[in-house]
Amino acid sequence: MFQFKLVLLGDSSVGKSSIVHRFVKDSFDDFRESTIGAAFLSQTIKIRDTSSDSTEDTVIKFEIWDTAGQERYKSLAPMYYRNANAALVVYDITQQDSLSKAQNWVNELKNKVGDEDLIICLLGNKLDLCDSSDNGDKRAVMTDEAKVYAEEQDLLFYEVSAKTGQGVKDVFQSIGEKLYQIKKEEMLSKKGRQAASAKDSVNVKLQRPSTNDPTSCCY
Amino acid sequence: MSRQNDVLKEFDPLQQNTDSEHVVKQTESVGIRVHDKPDCRAQEKSKYDEPDTSGEATSDVETFYDFQLFAKQLQEPSAEPIIKYSKSFLRNFQTQRLLWTAREQQKLINDFKIFIYDKFLEYEPFKSLDAIMLRNAQEGIEKLIMGKLHNKCFSPCLKSLGSNLDEEHKQDLIDDKSLQNKVEEFKFIKPADLDIDDSLSDRLDTFVKFSGKELNKINRFKAPRDKMICILNSCKVIFGILRHHTVEEKGADNFIPILIYTILKNNIQALGSNVKYIERFRYEEFIRGEASYYLNSLQAAINFIVTLEKSSLSTDHDSSFEDRYQENQSTIQQETNDDDKASRDDILSSEDYEHNGALDHQHKRNNKSTLPSDYILHPLDNAANAVMQKFNELLFVSKHENREHSNSGSGSNHPDQLNDNENVEQLAKKLQEQEQRNTLETLQAMFPEMDDAIIEDVCIAKKYRVGATVDVLLSL
């Protein structure tokens, strides 16, 4: 089973944790391993491999790392997004300045991670507060504005509602499919990785442990 | 030269636990119950997680843990090569060089684990174990060798080497000191200073005291896994309060600040060194996923505190911050003065510390607290230590070896050491009872409105497992 690390970024009021909660709660597959608490969740999904003839689904597992969204904890984020396979950058579509904060996160990821394979998904939350006839539309960030930005930056883009669950599943499904695609390509060209792992190793060795150690019978 | 002898003595694997005069090679000698888990629960088929409360079918591979079972397996005649390999490795590690750098240690120990895990596939009873039991045996080996090498690998144990230390170990000690200084500087802060929601204030301090207590246990264990579980238990208590206030869904926004608050409010020694120790010596595959997240969060919390500045906390709408800061500063000043007076003689008499170069300036301030407490250097490890002792007899059967290795001659006999099965068992029992009493008292303080008898009943039902017990009490 493939495992992927997914990190959640976004301001503390945008409801990023709720989106993941909704995703895990709504998944029928109950293979989740959160034994400590809700800051780390894991969830499996099934991916259909359309390119191969196999009819069997591939199961992949997300390990979802939540971050503290408050401004003062921003400096801790790099410890969470390092080695991530995907990042979910969440903003609140009912807050005017929310998208620009999300864009800051996207910039930071692009500048600091430097991994072309990192999948970034821009995610507008609180869709339930928009387009509702009785409550009035609270939308403050236009879909097109975010969409155009996401296309420019080559990001996945969705608008969802953690409250109703609208769109949430699709987000993880499409991230999963993309990750699986990358993984497959990577496995086909394995040589690059092997070369990379050869460097940076410490060059010490003990003599091989043995069952008839000469030093053990001398005394 | 005497110093080198001291070093040798300190590193002598045989000196700590083995009693060479009583080489008991009875297989049933390990027949005591193991309560090696941080939460002191009795032996059972689960780890820190509680399937009964989380209600999910977790893969059992990672949840089963029974060190005693591994001990028994190791004593089967067919497993002898495994013992010999381990023995050979430990000897080489301890004798080939006085001190390895942290990176070298990490590599050597990891290499050995890979080697021996591979050997499991060749020898019974390990050969025919299923995945769950094999994982248990792998954990057992890690605990076994790290129990032996802890005093060579855990940075606070190496403090006496001073400037002879390699950079990484040295850095660990410096980092521990920086953290301690910052904790001292900011221990006065209020939850609001860290963006902890006001709605959480009810019983926050009681919970934080409890989570700190769990985290503090990290210094009582030698095995990376046991240390890791202390961290997880501590985090579990934090989620206890979030669940209590039904804000668990907010995830890291609430969790991280309370974790930081926990560290600031509890004076936990050598926290950074502990994290590094786990990162270096826990088998990489064992700290994936959830454990990795919480270990990482603890490191993040430490980093946050170490880089904490007055300016980053004080806010315009809270003018009291500056006052509280200054008040704490004068308290620290007062304490430092008192300490200086008390410890000046110690400093002057200890020439070693004067020669410690890079670490020296660290020691100057607050000298008293830089000297590691004995309990860090010699973790209690409860009954596990008693079992380890039996193991040492198994691993190092020759009493001549013991003599040869301890050059100073002082390591020959330890009359005060427990060498008698009955005593070991009694000690284990006593420690466990004490531990349980402590847990019970803390829980009664946390849930004052609840009947003491009910709390005790829940404790017994949950076998004094902290996480599970808190979960149940919160749900009542």
Side-chain angles (χ1 to χ4, degrees):
Chain A
M1 181 168 54
F2 296 121
Q3 294 188 18
F4 297 106
K5 175 177 167 182
L6 193 156
V7 66
L8 276 177
L9 297 166
D11 213 57
S12 58
S13 59
V14 300
K16 59 185 159 45
S17 316
S18 310
I19 293 173
V20 177
H21 245 253
R22 166 62 70 180
F23 164 59
V24 172
K25 231 169 160 176
D26 284 0
S27 299
F28 293 105
D29 181 358
D30 61 2
F31 186 81
R32 65 197 167 95
E33 294 176 39
S34 170
T35 51
I36 307 298
F40 172 91
L41 296 170
S42 75
Q43 179 65 55
T44 55
I45 58 167
K46 291 192 181 100
I47 303 285
R48 173 135 296 174
D49 192 342
T50 46
S51 63
S52 76
D53 297 331
S54 160
T55 50
E56 261 183 45
D57 291 335
T58 307
V59 176
I60 67 161
K61 181 165 145 194
F62 285 118
E63 299 195 326
I64 305 162
W65 290 44
D66 197 3
T67 58
Q70 297 94 324
E71 187 63 30
R72 71 167 89 250
Y73 299 117
K74 242 189 129 174
S75 64
L76 303 182
M79 292 191 66
Y80 288 83
Y81 61 63
R82 69 176 172 202
N83 300 324
N85 302 102
L88 222 55
V89 180
V90 186
Y91 68 98
D92 177 353
I93 57 179
T94 69
Q95 295 296 323
Q96 182 66 57
D97 61 341
S98 193
L99 180 62
S100 69
K101 284 184 184 163
Q103 288 168 338
N104 289 340
W105 279 120
V106 173
N107 290 337
E108 181 172 332
L109 287 171
K110 295 215 161 187
N111 290 334
K112 285 201 184 158
V113 177
D115 179 359
E116 283 173 13
D117 283 344
L118 176 75
I119 292 173
I120 304 174
C121 180
L122 182 68
L123 204 53
N125 190 23
K126 307 197 184 174
L127 194 56
D128 52 289
L129 295 176
C130 306
D131 308 322
S132 58
S133 46
D134 47 340
N135 266 342
D137 194 339
K138 294 203 174 111
R139 180 185 284 278
V141 179
M142 290 303 127
T143 308
D144 274 352
E145 190 189 341
K147 199 173 175 181
V148 167
Y149 170 76
E151 273 164 14
E152 274 171 19
Q153 298 289 322
D154 197 22
L155 318 173
L156 291 172
F157 168 68
Y158 287 90
E159 286 185 339
V160 299
S161 164
K163 199 173 173 188
T164 65
Q166 187 185 348
V168 171
K169 254 188 137 171
D170 298 340
V171 173
F172 290 89
Q173 195 64 37
S174 65
I175 292 176
E177 277 163 14
K178 231 177 151 172
L179 283 169
Y180 177 64
Q181 203 55 43
I182 292 173
K183 190 83 191 173
K184 253 178 53 184
E185 284 162 20
E186 194 182 89
M187 279 169 29
L188 289 174
S189 59
K190 235 180 171 176
K191 29 190 188 315
R193 284 185 75 220
Q194 278 168 350
S197 65
K199 60 173 186 182
D200 193 44
S201 64
V202 190
N203 193 23
V204 288
K205 257 189 185 147
L206 284 177
Q207 75 193 73
R208 201 165 165 275
S210 69
T211 47
N212 54 350
D213 192 326
T215 55
S216 67
C217 53
C218 302
Y219 301 124
Chain B
M1 269 298 95
S2 75
R3 184 157 169 185
Q4 216 166 40
N5 276 349
D6 284 345
V7 171
L8 275 175
K9 198 171 78 189
E10 191 184 336
F11 286 160
D12 187 348
L14 307 161
Q15 228 209 315
Q16 308 184 85
N17 301 320
T18 338
D19 189 335
S20 57
E21 302 303 308
H22 293 264
V23 184
V24 197
K25 218 200 164 173
Q26 295 169 320
T27 42
E28 42 316 335
S29 66
V30 195
I32 65 162
R33 308 216 100 202
V34 192
H35 309 287
D36 63 325
K37 296 160 197 103
D39 47 4
C40 260
R41 81 184 88 150
Q43 196 186 316
E44 61 185 288
K45 290 194 178 192
S46 66
K47 208 173 63 178
Y48 50 84
D49 49 344
E50 293 80 27
D52 50 328
T53 51
S54 49
E56 66 221 349
T58 315
S59 62
D60 284 333
V61 178
E62 288 169 38
T63 55
F64 179 85
Y65 185 67
D66 184 344
F67 186 67
Q68 195 194 354
L69 178 73
F70 168 70
K72 283 203 176 113
Q73 290 165 343
L74 206 52
Q75 287 171 82
E76 285 180 27
S78 56
E80 210 188 336
I82 300 292
I83 292 185
K84 283 189 169 169
Y85 283 128
S86 304
K87 202 170 147 181
S88 160
F89 165 72
L90 288 171
R91 185 180 296 104
N92 285 338
F93 189 97
Q94 288 166 314
T95 55
Q96 272 192 16
R97 210 188 283 176
L98 216 54
L99 178 70
W100 304 96
T101 69
R103 286 187 65 175
E104 287 166 344
Q105 291 179 337
Q106 183 175 358
K107 176 170 190 295
L108 293 175
I109 290 172
N110 194 54
D111 283 354
F112 174 69
K113 281 184 220 166
I114 292 169
F115 168 83
I116 201 81
Y117 293 168
D118 200 39
K119 289 287 170 198
F120 276 162
L121 307 176
E122 283 178 37
Y123 301 102
E124 293 294 356
F126 304 106
K127 198 174 152 185
S128 29
L129 295 181
D130 62 17
I132 296 165
M133 291 302 180
L134 196 60
R135 166 70 189 253
N136 186 61
Q138 292 172 339
E139 290 279 10
I141 282 282
E142 183 177 279
K143 187 184 176 79
L144 193 69
I145 59 171
M146 291 322 294
K148 290 302 261 177
L149 301 180
H150 170 269
N151 67 339
K152 253 195 152 180
C153 297
F154 184 54
S155 303
C157 293
L158 303 172
K159 203 170 247 179
S160 62
L161 291 177
S163 53
N164 293 331
L165 265 183
D166 61 295
E167 285 308 314
E168 271 176 289
H169 284 125
K170 208 182 277 177
Q171 192 59 46
D172 291 349
L173 296 174
I174 292 169
D175 291 347
D176 282 345
K177 190 60 202 153
S178 320
L179 178 66
Q180 216 174 342
N181 288 340
K182 285 288 181 181
V183 167
E184 194 68 16
E185 187 182 351
F186 291 101
K187 66 183 177 195
F188 66 91
I189 65 160
K190 294 192 296 192
D193 297 328
L194 291 173
D195 287 332
I196 295 174
D197 208 304
D198 279 346
S199 64
L200 292 171
S201 59
D202 176 34
R203 287 196 281 192
L204 179 67
D205 284 331
T206 319
F207 271 91
V208 162
K209 209 172 136 191
F210 194 19
S211 62
K213 212 168 158 182
E214 289 304 309
L215 193 53
N216 203 23
K217 288 181 186 165
I218 200 167
N219 283 316
R220 293 173 20 184
F221 296 92
K222 291 178 180 175
R225 174 190 177 277
D226 295 339
K227 286 177 181 287
M228 188 65 228
I229 286 177
C230 295
I231 297 173
L232 295 178
N233 276 341
S234 175
C235 294
K236 182 109 199 176
V237 173
I238 293 174
F239 280 101
I241 188 170
L242 298 182
R243 209 165 299 149
H244 174 66
H245 291 283
T246 60
V247 290
E248 203 201 347
E249 279 200 23
K250 287 205 76 181
D253 286 349
N254 282 322
F255 168 71
I256 304 292
I258 299 181
L259 182 62
I260 292 168
Y261 191 66
T262 296
I263 300 170
L264 284 171
K265 290 292 168 178
N266 297 277
N267 186 20
I268 299 161
Q269 290 189 56
L271 203 50
S273 284
N274 275 297
V275 172
K276 285 287 182 318
Y277 181 82
I278 297 170
E279 280 174 356
R280 285 174 197 149
F281 305 116
R282 183 120 177 86
Y283 193 52
E284 206 186 333
E285 262 180 42
F286 299 168
I287 31 171
R288 291 220 173 123
E290 194 167 40
S292 170
Y293 178 85
Y294 289 101
L295 186 64
N296 190 69
S297 292
L298 182 58
Q299 184 63 62
I302 292 170
N303 291 1
F304 181 82
I305 294 171
V306 167
T307 56
L308 206 51
E309 291 300 333
K310 201 167 71 163
S311 56
S312 61
L313 278 176
S314 56
T315 47
D316 295 337
H317 58 266
D318 185 8
S319 57
S320 76
F321 184 87
E322 183 63 29
D323 296 343
R324 287 183 284 138
Y325 183 86
Q326 292 306 338
E327 194 187 325
N328 185 53
Q329 281 297 308
S330 53
T331 318
I332 296 172
Q333 193 58 46
Q334 187 60 43
E335 282 168 5
T336 311
N337 289 343
D338 293 350
D339 279 357
D340 277 357
K341 263 179 224 152
S343 61
R344 197 160 294 143
D345 294 342
D346 294 348
I347 300 176
L348 291 176
S349 66
S350 164
E351 279 190 20
D352 270 356
Y353 274 89
E354 291 302 312
H355 293 300
N356 271 352
L359 287 174
D360 198 32
H361 65 279
Q362 295 281 337
H363 285 137
K364 285 271 163 62
R365 196 169 161 252
N366 235 349
N367 185 58
K368 207 161 100 183
S369 54
T370 57
L371 299 170
S373 308
D374 283 349
Y375 73 90
I376 294 192
L377 300 182
H378 307 287
L380 242 181
D381 221 339
N382 293 0
N385 259 7
V387 176
M388 289 301 286
Q389 192 181 326
K390 290 293 158 201
F391 257 117
N392 292 325
E393 288 164 9
L394 204 71
L395 278 171
F396 298 91
V397 281
S398 162
K399 61 181 170 185
H400 303 293
E401 268 179 1
N402 192 7
R403 286 266 165 76
E404 289 297 321
H405 276 278
S406 53
N407 294 340
S408 66
S410 66
S412 51
N413 205 352
H414 307 276
D416 56 332
Q417 209 151 30
L418 290 163
N419 47 43
D420 173 76
N421 244 356
E422 212 172 306
N423 280 348
V424 171
E425 202 163 350
Q426 272 173 7
L427 173 75
K429 211 176 153 205
K430 219 173 101 189
L431 283 168
Q432 196 200 6
E433 281 169 3
Q434 194 187 337
E435 183 68 35
Q436 292 180 347
R437 242 189 343 267
N438 286 343
T439 307
L440 188 61
E441 277 165 20
T442 315
L443 286 168
Q444 283 165 349
M446 271 172 83
F447 299 95
E449 74 281 8
M450 219 173 263
D451 194 45
D452 286 357
I454 292 178
I455 297 178
E456 194 170 354
D457 284 349
V458 176
C459 280
I460 292 166
K462 289 290 161 194
K463 302 196 171 64
Y464 285 86
R465 288 182 303 167
V466 170
T469 311
V470 171
D471 280 347
V472 173
L473 291 173
L474 281 167
S475 68
L476 288 176

PDB file of all heavy atoms in Angstrom, chain B residues 61-76:
ATOM      1  N   VAL B  61      -0.232  -5.209  13.897  1.00  0.00           N
ATOM      2  CA  VAL B  61       1.214  -5.343  13.825  1.00  0.00           C
ATOM      3  C   VAL B  61       1.905  -4.365  14.757  1.00  0.00           C
ATOM      4  O   VAL B  61       2.889  -4.675  15.389  1.00  0.00           O
ATOM      5  CB  VAL B  61       1.701  -5.118  12.376  1.00  0.00           C
ATOM      6  CG1 VAL B  61       3.210  -5.202  12.304  1.00  0.00           C
ATOM      7  CG2 VAL B  61       1.072  -6.134  11.464  1.00  0.00           C
ATOM      8  N   GLU B  62       1.359  -3.168  14.852  1.00  0.00           N
ATOM      9  CA  GLU B  62       2.033  -2.154  15.628  1.00  0.00           C
ATOM     10  C   GLU B  62       1.530  -2.079  17.063  1.00  0.00           C
ATOM     11  O   GLU B  62       2.038  -1.329  17.858  1.00  0.00           O
ATOM     12  CB  GLU B  62       1.853  -0.797  14.957  1.00  0.00           C
ATOM     13  CG  GLU B  62       2.663  -0.696  13.685  1.00  0.00           C
ATOM     14  CD  GLU B  62       2.285   0.520  12.890  1.00  0.00           C
ATOM     15  OE1 GLU B  62       2.014   1.561  13.493  1.00  0.00           O
ATOM     16  OE2 GLU B  62       2.249   0.411  11.658  1.00  0.00           O
ATOM     17  N   THR B  63       0.519  -2.825  17.397  1.00  0.00           N
ATOM     18  CA  THR B  63      -0.058  -2.620  18.712  1.00  0.00           C
ATOM     19  C   THR B  63       0.363  -3.667  19.733  1.00  0.00           C
ATOM     20  O   THR B  63       0.323  -3.426  20.914  1.00  0.00           O
ATOM     21  CB  THR B  63      -1.587  -2.588  18.646  1.00  0.00           C
ATOM     22  OG1 THR B  63      -2.021  -3.786  18.031  1.00  0.00           O
ATOM     23  CG2 THR B  63      -2.059  -1.401  17.858  1.00  0.00           C
ATOM     24  N   PHE B  64       0.752  -4.823  19.257  1.00  0.00           N
ATOM     25  CA  PHE B  64       1.121  -5.852  20.211  1.00  0.00           C
ATOM     26  C   PHE B  64       2.500  -5.570  20.778  1.00  0.00           C
ATOM     27  O   PHE B  64       3.427  -5.251  20.055  1.00  0.00           O
ATOM     28  CB  PHE B  64       1.109  -7.224  19.526  1.00  0.00           C
ATOM     29  CG  PHE B  64       1.508  -8.334  20.464  1.00  0.00           C
ATOM     30  CD1 PHE B  64       0.569  -8.917  21.292  1.00  0.00           C
ATOM     31  CD2 PHE B  64       2.814  -8.756  20.526  1.00  0.00           C
ATOM     32  CE1 PHE B  64       0.940  -9.930  22.168  1.00  0.00           C
ATOM     33  CE2 PHE B  64       3.190  -9.775  21.393  1.00  0.00           C
ATOM     34  CZ  PHE B  64       2.254 -10.359  22.213  1.00  0.00           C
ATOM     35  N   TYR B  65       2.622  -5.688  22.077  1.00  0.00           N
ATOM     36  CA  TYR B  65       3.940  -5.501  22.667  1.00  0.00           C
ATOM     37  C   TYR B  65       4.054  -6.290  23.961  1.00  0.00           C
ATOM     38  O   TYR B  65       3.276  -6.114  24.884  1.00  0.00           O
ATOM     39  CB  TYR B  65       4.214  -4.026  22.938  1.00  0.00           C
ATOM     40  CG  TYR B  65       5.622  -3.787  23.426  1.00  0.00           C
ATOM     41  CD1 TYR B  65       6.705  -4.015  22.587  1.00  0.00           C
ATOM     42  CD2 TYR B  65       5.866  -3.366  24.722  1.00  0.00           C
ATOM     43  CE1 TYR B  65       8.001  -3.821  23.031  1.00  0.00           C
ATOM     44  CE2 TYR B  65       7.162  -3.160  25.168  1.00  0.00           C
ATOM     45  CZ  TYR B  65       8.216  -3.391  24.319  1.00  0.00           C
ATOM     46  OH  TYR B  65       9.496  -3.189  24.755  1.00  0.00           O
ATOM     47  N   ASP B  66       5.021  -7.177  23.993  1.00  0.00           N
ATOM     48  CA  ASP B  66       5.210  -8.006  25.169  1.00  0.00           C
ATOM     49  C   ASP B  66       6.688  -8.370  25.269  1.00  0.00           C
ATOM     50  O   ASP B  66       7.169  -9.297  24.627  1.00  0.00           O
ATOM     51  CB  ASP B  66       4.336  -9.263  25.049  1.00  0.00           C
ATOM     52  CG  ASP B  66       4.427 -10.129  26.306  1.00  0.00           C
ATOM     53  OD1 ASP B  66       5.361  -9.927  27.112  1.00  0.00           O
ATOM     54  OD2 ASP B  66       3.574 -11.000  26.471  1.00  0.00           O
ATOM     55  N   PHE B  67       7.385  -7.587  26.059  1.00  0.00           N
ATOM     56  CA  PHE B  67       8.830  -7.772  26.153  1.00  0.00           C
ATOM     57  C   PHE B  67       9.186  -9.100  26.813  1.00  0.00           C
ATOM     58  O   PHE B  67      10.162  -9.755  26.457  1.00  0.00           O
ATOM     59  CB  PHE B  67       9.448  -6.611  26.935  1.00  0.00           C
ATOM     60  CG  PHE B  67      10.942  -6.632  26.952  1.00  0.00           C
ATOM     61  CD1 PHE B  67      11.663  -6.429  25.786  1.00  0.00           C
ATOM     62  CD2 PHE B  67      11.634  -6.855  28.134  1.00  0.00           C
ATOM     63  CE1 PHE B  67      13.048  -6.443  25.800  1.00  0.00           C
ATOM     64  CE2 PHE B  67      13.025  -6.882  28.147  1.00  0.00           C
ATOM     65  CZ  PHE B  67      13.725  -6.673  26.976  1.00  0.00           C
ATOM     66  N   GLN B  68       8.356  -9.486  27.734  1.00  0.00           N
ATOM     67  CA  GLN B  68       8.629 -10.722  28.451  1.00  0.00           C
ATOM     68  C   GLN B  68       8.587 -11.925  27.513  1.00  0.00           C
ATOM     69  O   GLN B  68       9.392 -12.857  27.626  1.00  0.00           O
ATOM     70  CB  GLN B  68       7.614 -10.893  29.574  1.00  0.00           C
ATOM     71  CG  GLN B  68       8.046 -11.943  30.568  1.00  0.00           C
ATOM     72  CD  GLN B  68       6.908 -12.360  31.473  1.00  0.00           C
ATOM     73  OE1 GLN B  68       5.825 -11.775  31.431  1.00  0.00           O
ATOM     74  NE2 GLN B  68       7.146 -13.349  32.283  1.00  0.00           N
ATOM     75  N   LEU B  69       7.640 -11.865  26.616  1.00  0.00           N
ATOM     76  CA  LEU B  69       7.528 -12.945  25.636  1.00  0.00           C
ATOM     77  C   LEU B  69       8.804 -13.043  24.803  1.00  0.00           C
ATOM     78  O   LEU B  69       9.348 -14.124  24.579  1.00  0.00           O
ATOM     79  CB  LEU B  69       6.324 -12.690  24.724  1.00  0.00           C
ATOM     80  CG  LEU B  69       6.103 -13.719  23.620  1.00  0.00           C
ATOM     81  CD1 LEU B  69       5.575 -15.019  24.209  1.00  0.00           C
ATOM     82  CD2 LEU B  69       5.123 -13.184  22.585  1.00  0.00           C
ATOM     83  N   PHE B  70       9.278 -11.878  24.375  1.00  0.00           N
ATOM     84  CA  PHE B  70      10.530 -11.850  23.625  1.00  0.00           C
ATOM     85  C   PHE B  70      11.668 -12.442  24.461  1.00  0.00           C
ATOM     86  O   PHE B  70      12.493 -13.205  23.961  1.00  0.00           O
ATOM     87  CB  PHE B  70      10.848 -10.415  23.211  1.00  0.00           C
ATOM     88  CG  PHE B  70      12.245 -10.231  22.688  1.00  0.00           C
ATOM     89  CD1 PHE B  70      12.616 -10.767  21.466  1.00  0.00           C
ATOM     90  CD2 PHE B  70      13.190  -9.526  23.426  1.00  0.00           C
ATOM     91  CE1 PHE B  70      13.911 -10.608  20.984  1.00  0.00           C
ATOM     92  CE2 PHE B  70      14.486  -9.363  22.945  1.00  0.00           C
ATOM     93  CZ  PHE B  70      14.838  -9.908  21.733  1.00  0.00           C
ATOM     94  N   ALA B  71      11.667 -12.096  25.732  1.00  0.00           N
ATOM     95  CA  ALA B  71      12.699 -12.608  26.626  1.00  0.00           C
ATOM     96  C   ALA B  71      12.695 -14.137  26.637  1.00  0.00           C
ATOM     97  O   ALA B  71      13.743 -14.780  26.585  1.00  0.00           O
ATOM     98  CB  ALA B  71      12.473 -12.062  28.034  1.00  0.00           C
ATOM     99  N   LYS B  72      11.507 -14.683  26.684  1.00  0.00           N
ATOM    100  CA  LYS B  72      11.397 -16.140  26.694  1.00  0.00           C
ATOM    101  C   LYS B  72      11.889 -16.753  25.386  1.00  0.00           C
ATOM    102  O   LYS B  72      12.608 -17.742  25.375  1.00  0.00           O
ATOM    103  CB  LYS B  72       9.946 -16.550  26.933  1.00  0.00           C
ATOM    104  CG  LYS B  72       9.543 -16.394  28.386  1.00  0.00           C
ATOM    105  CD  LYS B  72       8.361 -17.315  28.700  1.00  0.00           C
ATOM    106  CE  LYS B  72       8.003 -17.244  30.169  1.00  0.00           C
ATOM    107  NZ  LYS B  72       6.683 -16.634  30.398  1.00  0.00           N
ATOM    108  N   GLN B  73      11.490 -16.110  24.289  1.00  0.00           N
ATOM    109  CA  GLN B  73      11.903 -16.616  22.980  1.00  0.00           C
ATOM    110  C   GLN B  73      13.421 -16.631  22.863  1.00  0.00           C
ATOM    111  O   GLN B  73      14.010 -17.555  22.320  1.00  0.00           O
ATOM    112  CB  GLN B  73      11.299 -15.737  21.868  1.00  0.00           C
ATOM    113  CG  GLN B  73       9.805 -15.895  21.738  1.00  0.00           C
ATOM    114  CD  GLN B  73       9.189 -14.781  20.908  1.00  0.00           C
ATOM    115  OE1 GLN B  73       9.793 -13.732  20.682  1.00  0.00           O
ATOM    116  NE2 GLN B  73       7.955 -15.002  20.438  1.00  0.00           N
ATOM    117  N   LEU B  74      14.009 -15.588  23.389  1.00  0.00           N
ATOM    118  CA  LEU B  74      15.452 -15.446  23.292  1.00  0.00           C
ATOM    119  C   LEU B  74      16.190 -16.535  24.064  1.00  0.00           C
ATOM    120  O   LEU B  74      17.340 -16.847  23.776  1.00  0.00           O
ATOM    121  CB  LEU B  74      15.844 -14.062  23.827  1.00  0.00           C
ATOM    122  CG  LEU B  74      17.127 -13.429  23.323  1.00  0.00           C
ATOM    123  CD1 LEU B  74      17.168 -13.414  21.811  1.00  0.00           C
ATOM    124  CD2 LEU B  74      17.251 -12.009  23.867  1.00  0.00           C
ATOM    125  N   GLN B  75      15.509 -17.080  25.028  1.00  0.00           N
ATOM    126  CA  GLN B  75      16.182 -18.073  25.857  1.00  0.00           C
ATOM    127  C   GLN B  75      16.072 -19.485  25.322  1.00  0.00           C
ATOM    128  O   GLN B  75      16.663 -20.408  25.881  1.00  0.00           O
ATOM    129  CB  GLN B  75      15.611 -18.013  27.275  1.00  0.00           C
ATOM    130  CG  GLN B  75      16.087 -16.773  27.989  1.00  0.00           C
ATOM    131  CD  GLN B  75      15.370 -16.587  29.292  1.00  0.00           C
ATOM    132  OE1 GLN B  75      15.715 -17.185  30.294  1.00  0.00           O
ATOM    133  NE2 GLN B  75      14.345 -15.765  29.273  1.00  0.00           N
ATOM    134  N   GLU B  76      15.321 -19.637  24.272  1.00  0.00           N
ATOM    135  CA  GLU B  76      15.270 -20.966  23.665  1.00  0.00           C
ATOM    136  C   GLU B  76      16.633 -21.281  23.054  1.00  0.00           C
ATOM    137  O   GLU B  76      17.283 -20.405  22.491  1.00  0.00           O
ATOM    138  CB  GLU B  76      14.169 -21.018  22.599  1.00  0.00           C
ATOM    139  CG  GLU B  76      12.790 -21.081  23.234  1.00  0.00           C
ATOM    140  CD  GLU B  76      11.678 -21.140  22.196  1.00  0.00           C
ATOM    141  OE1 GLU B  76      11.952 -21.634  21.079  1.00  0.00           O
ATOM    142  OE2 GLU B  76      10.578 -20.701  22.520  1.00  0.00           O
TER     143      GLU B  76
END
